[in-house]
Every structure is written in C-alpha cells, then in structure tokens.
Amino acid sequence: MSVYLDNAATTPLDPAVLDAMLPYYRDNFGNPSSTHAHGRSARSAVETSRKTVAEILNTAPSNIYFTSGGTEGDNIAILGFIQTFGIEHVISTRIEHHAVLHTLEALKTPEVCYLDLDAQGNIDFDQLEGLLRDNPGSLVTLMHANNEIGNILDLERAGYICREYGSYFHSDTVQSIGKYPLDLQKYPVHAAVGSAHKFHGPKGTGLLYLNAGGKIEPLIHGGGQERDIRPGTENVAGIVGLAKALEIAAHDMEKHSKLISGLKEKMIRDLKATIPGIAFNGVSGNMEESLYTVLSINLPAKDKKNMVLFKLDLDHISVSGGSACASGALKGSHVINEIHKGAENMTVRFSFSKYNTPDDVDHAVSSLRRILDQVSLTRE
Ligand code: PLP
C-alpha cells in the first residue's frame, strides 16, 4: 500500500482538471495575443478563467493576474510594491515560506523587521501595531496559513491594522486558497497569492491578486501580457486548469473540508493513543485554530530524525520533515528551528487532501509506531 500524505508540498491533479486542460494542448493551441480565430479562442479561455477565479474570490477580474506559481506571485508583489511605492520599511516573520523570506533576505534596502513569535509561532498584533505606528506606509507581508505548522493568521485583523497606518499588506495565501472561502472584498489585503498545484491543479501556474491603487512595477519586461505585470506568452492550458481546479475546490469546499478535518482529527486521536509523549508543532494539534490539511508532529526520538523519514519512505509513506524545499537538503526546517530555538527536534509533517482515506491514516500511524520502536531499539 502506498500512502501520499504530503499534500502541502503538492496535490495530485484532479482528472476533471486534466480533461479541461487537454483541448488547450491539442486543438486550441493558439497564442492569446494573436488576433486570428485560433488566438481569439485561446484569449477567450484565459479571460473566462480570469472571470471564474475573480468570481470565486469575490473581486473584479481586473485584479487577477496569472503567474507561474506562488513563488513568482510573492516576488512580483513584494518587489513591485517596494519599487513602486518607495517603501522604506518591511514587516514580516521568520516563518514565512522561502518564496517570501529569501526575497526579503535578498533586499539591500529597505530595512526588514521580523515580528516576535510565541512558542507556537503566533505573532503579537500589539507589536505589529506599534511598529506600524512608528513606521506608517510600511509593507507588511504575513502568510495566511503556514505550510509547515498550519498556523492561521487573522487576515482581517492584520489587514485593518495595516490600513489604519496607511501601510501595504501582502499575504501569501498559497496554502489557504481553495481550502477556505477567501472573500477579497472582505479581507483588506493589497496582494494575495495562489498556486494551482496546491489545490489539485497543474504545477507552474498561479494567480496573483493585486489591488493597491495603481499599476505596480513589473519584475520582467516583455510583450505586455497580463497587463505588463507578468509578460510572456500565457500558459493557456495551465490557466484553464487553475480555474477549473479552483472551481471544483470552491464547489466542494464544505464536503472536502469536513472529510479532511475528520482525517486529521482521527490522526491526532490515533497518534496520542499510540505514541505517548507526542507533541504537535505550532497550533497544528488544535483543530479550531489550524489549517485542516496540515498536522506537524514533534517526536522524542530526536537523534534519529532522518532515519524515521527514510523508513517511512521505505514503507511507501510519503510525508515531509518540514517543507518540501528543505526536506532534500536535510538542513531542517527554518520554521521549526525558529519556534523551537536551539532544541533538537524530530518533526514529521502529515498533510492531507480529498483523496486520502481513514486507511491511509491507520497505515501511517502503525508504520510510525513500528519505526519508532525500531529506532529506540537501535539507540539502546
Ligand atoms: N508559499 C507557500 C506557503 C507554499 O507552501 C509554497 C509551496 O510550497 C509557495 C509559496 C511556493 O509556491 P510554488 O511552488 O507555486 O512556487
């Protein structure tokens, strides 16, 4: 039996999404910038997809731009805002995804201030407000749902604080789009980012919501596609796939969130019963406060962490030791290292999708129990 529980890294493509995409590889292969019939058909597919996405996120189609994914969307928003609005101060946290963190670290200016986090990885809104009071007109970049520990930010609260101090608010919503009903009229954000492969769409396709009052400076220059924000011939099939995947996610959200929450709840219960002393990273063990697709556990077997992941893999269970990007490097997760400073940790992240079953959970928990027994036997 093979079990895939690494859906925060990527999700399997929904077959209905593939069906929607295929005609744009076969017959409707035109370039959306061409004015002939082939081109017009491709243009129509792109614009229909934009309308679909905008309707689901409750915003105007003119606020939606298609990109190559989450990383590009984060870069366009952060670097674009800084350049266009002459931002002198940026506020963020050290547990953002590398798409944000490494972008900020690469900046020579402006100054970046990282908010303090409590032991569970939560920010202090009073500190955010104090910093903005001293530095109005800042750029604040805070992710909505953390991909490693599942913490969820109160977007409305953060957004209204930013608004009060005339600041720009970018949120990496890669892990929450398609999982929660994001209403961009309600949430006071100037930029939000999505990535299709996190909600059963194709890899290499993303969406960027921009609503900052005016055109922002692009990162790259070219033929003017996506109203100059992201020039380059559009990935038509990918865009169609993204819209279809989001449509399915929105339509089935209640059903799938219930199903996935049930699996996560079962895993928490079964892990507690099977592995005494098990702890959860961030707030991921709390069903009310965390992303229902992510469960990050912290185990006592600290000196054998790579062995545990390796053995889970041998048992055909695909999970992550942190983020997908960090797992290959064996450097450990910057998020876990940040919230458990100095402490040795063994983290396993399980992340679920609509394709998982209770059997997957049973299999993963019993395999983990067996592996931990072997690891502690080896240690003695
Ligand atoms: N932001 C978050 C929170 C993510 O989880 C990811 C992907 O792991 C990204 C950004 C990057 O998205 P992409 O893989 O589409 O570039």
Side-chain angles (χ1 to χ4, degrees):
M1 182 177 180
S2 158
V3 176
Y4 185 76
L5 286 170
D6 200 13
N7 292 281
T10 197
T11 54
L13 193 72
D14 187 315
V17 172
L18 181 61
D19 287 346
M21 292 171 70
L22 284 176
Y24 294 93
Y25 286 120
R26 289 192 182 124
D27 306 321
N28 299 344
F29 57 84
N31 184 327
S33 297
S34 303
T35 53
H36 48 60
H38 285 85
R40 289 199 306 275
S41 160
R43 167 62 52 211
S44 159
V46 170
E47 296 315 321
T48 303
S49 301
R50 199 185 314 278
K51 267 197 206 134
T52 302
V53 169
E55 222 167 84
I56 292 168
L57 299 179
N58 196 21
T59 187
S62 57
N63 292 332
I64 300 295
Y65 300 84
F66 292 115
T67 66
S68 72
T71 303
E72 190 176 60
D74 284 332
N75 273 263
I76 293 174
I78 292 170
L79 299 175
F81 280 12
I82 289 171
Q83 211 174 322
T84 309
F85 304 121
I87 304 273
E88 289 180 0
H89 228 91
V90 180
I91 299 171
S92 189
T93 72
R94 291 200 187 276
I95 60 169
E96 300 300 307
H97 188 273
H98 282 150
V100 168
L101 205 55
H102 286 171
T103 304
L104 297 179
E105 284 167 6
L107 293 172
K108 301 234 164 25
T109 57
E111 184 190 345
V112 182
C113 175
Y114 295 96
L115 295 172
D116 298 332
L117 299 169
D118 66 18
Q120 292 195 306
N122 294 312
I123 64 161
D124 174 354
F125 283 96
D126 291 339
Q127 187 193 18
L128 173 64
E129 186 160 3
L131 284 166
L132 286 176
R133 197 176 296 120
D134 293 343
N135 302 283
S138 294
L139 167 64
V140 175
T141 168
L142 297 172
M143 70 203 306
H144 186 201
N146 189 286
N147 52 305
E148 296 199 34
I149 53 176
N151 288 27
I152 296 180
L153 178 79
D154 183 341
L155 264 193
E156 244 178 308
R157 187 170 175 194
Y160 280 115
I161 295 175
C162 293
R163 185 179 281 184
E164 199 179 328
Y165 296 96
S167 295
Y168 295 93
F169 182 33
H170 158 256
S171 184
D172 178 332
T173 49
V174 165
Q175 292 288 344
S176 54
I177 281 189
K179 289 160 197 150
Y180 293 92
L182 283 199
D183 179 341
L184 292 171
Q185 300 230 359
K186 180 171 145 213
Y187 292 126
V189 294
H190 297 103
V193 172
S195 178
H197 73 107
K198 307 293 186 181
F199 48 87
H200 306 284
K203 293 174 183 60
T205 317
L207 69 94
L208 170 61
Y209 161 82
L210 279 181
N211 190 7
K215 196 163 178 293
I216 71 157
E217 287 291 320
L219 296 188
I220 57 169
H221 302 272
Q225 293 91 342
E226 293 302 294
R227 288 153 287 149
D228 266 336
I229 293 291
R230 203 283 182 177
T233 301
E234 297 89 339
N235 175 359
V236 181
I239 289 168
V240 167
L242 178 146
K244 182 70 184 174
L246 193 60
E247 206 177 356
I248 297 171
H251 183 266
D252 297 340
M253 197 172 278
E254 210 181 310
K255 182 171 82 181
H256 289 151
S257 65
K258 238 187 224 160
L259 173 116
I260 299 169
S261 299
L263 295 176
K264 175 168 162 175
E265 249 174 7
K266 172 177 165 56
M267 186 162 240
I268 293 174
R269 217 176 31 244
D270 292 358
L271 284 170
K272 280 182 178 166
T274 320
I275 303 170
I278 193 158
F280 302 97
N281 291 310
V283 293
S284 78
N286 180 329
M287 289 302 299
E288 272 75 53
E289 286 181 24
S290 67
L291 185 59
Y292 60 85
T293 50
V294 169
L295 180 63
S296 174
I297 63 168
N298 198 299
L299 291 161
K302 59 187 184 196
D303 49 339
K304 302 282 183 190
K305 62 176 157 194
N306 297 330
M307 187 65 82
V308 173
L309 289 177
F310 175 68
K311 282 177 176 274
L312 281 167
D313 190 21
L314 284 183
D315 260 2
H316 308 288
I317 296 169
S318 295
V319 295
S320 161
S323 72
C325 329
S327 58
L330 296 181
K331 272 200 295 193
S333 145
H334 69 283
V335 174
I336 305 297
N337 291 341
E338 188 60 33
I339 59 171
H340 298 302
K341 275 197 179 101
E344 271 289 347
N345 293 288
M346 212 222 74
T347 290
V348 181
R349 179 190 69 182
F350 299 97
S351 49
F352 310 88
S353 86
K354 61 182 179 181
Y355 293 126
N356 288 118
T357 64
D359 274 359
D360 292 343
V361 174
D362 288 340
H363 194 59
V365 172
S366 63
S367 168
L368 183 63
R369 174 69 271 173
R370 205 171 43 248
I371 290 167
L372 289 178
D373 287 342
Q374 290 167 5
V375 165
S376 58
L377 279 180
T378 324
R379 228 195 291 171
E380 277 153 15

